[in-house]
Amino acid sequence: MFTSAEARRAGVSQDRLKRKDISRIRRGLFSRTGPPVSEAAIVAALSRQDGSAVVVGPSAARLWNMPLPPQLGSWDSRKPVHLSIPGGRNSHGAVVRWHDFTLAEGDVQRLVFTQVLSFHETAPPPHCSLRMTTRSRTWRDLARHLTHGQLVAVGDHLVRAPRPQFENGRRKPWCSLEQLAKACTGRYAASLRRALTDVRRGADSPMETMLRLAFIDAGLPEPLINMPLIGPDGVALHTPDFQWPQYRVCAEYEGAAHNKDQQVKRDIRRARRVKAAQWSEIRLYKDDAHAGCAAAVHLVREELRARGWRP
């Protein structure tokens, strides 16, 4: 991906840009014909073209790898990229959507890409730097695009404690609750504050967030999430997705990874330990999350009742 200015500096003529092996993406923006164009490559080229540009909204969220619903989380060339520049522009089109956001200095972070990202072949080159809204500011700007539950899921993702052994040694959350609280401003401030009241540290996936919110909305006690389950001898048995210690009930959501042989064996050993400790384990899967998680809510409600809970 390159701009017309970059082509001129490299000595590429206008006639050369008209050949079949070069595709015109928009005015002043070109790529080689064939390889798929990526969102990252487009925003990188436009950022090189205008140094005041800031990647915002859904584009920033995707580059930050935030958990978004399918219709927003995936990008293809039919969707515009989102950039903000002072004063905005009226030349909106299929490729870029310009915004005029009021951004404080602390709302913007410069990133230098030093390795190929997971955006196929056309990721930004190693020397490319982008100005993007910070994660907390991006969460704020997503409020206009997401439902309450989806906004909570992104908040959960940002404040969750990382697992260093699986996340390249990262030890700190992407954001603190205080940073998200400061971001609850603007037109959607009420929606953001409402979402923040439901954000919790500990959820590992949007599905866990959805199930937790469904349990609470159904009037069930709020579960502990991804906390050690302590057996009668005071030893931690494992870390279930959800648990209600006072009733000795826990629940696990079994995603696709739980179908692998080694994971199945670990799940069986885990279930035996839980049973030996006189706890009840509820195993949930994707069908239990249909219709507002109705089946999951029913299973948990009945088990809690059997263990002494009363609404």
Side-chain angles (χ1 to χ4, degrees), residues 193 227 264 282:
R193 286 193 293 267
M227 295 288 288
V264 169
I282 302 168

Side-chain angles (χ1 to χ4, degrees), residues 71-85:
Q71 69 275 15
L72 199 63
S74 61
W75 182 87
D76 59 55
S77 58
R78 294 169 294 181
K79 296 179 181 178
V81 301
H82 293 260
L83 294 170
S84 176
I85 58 173

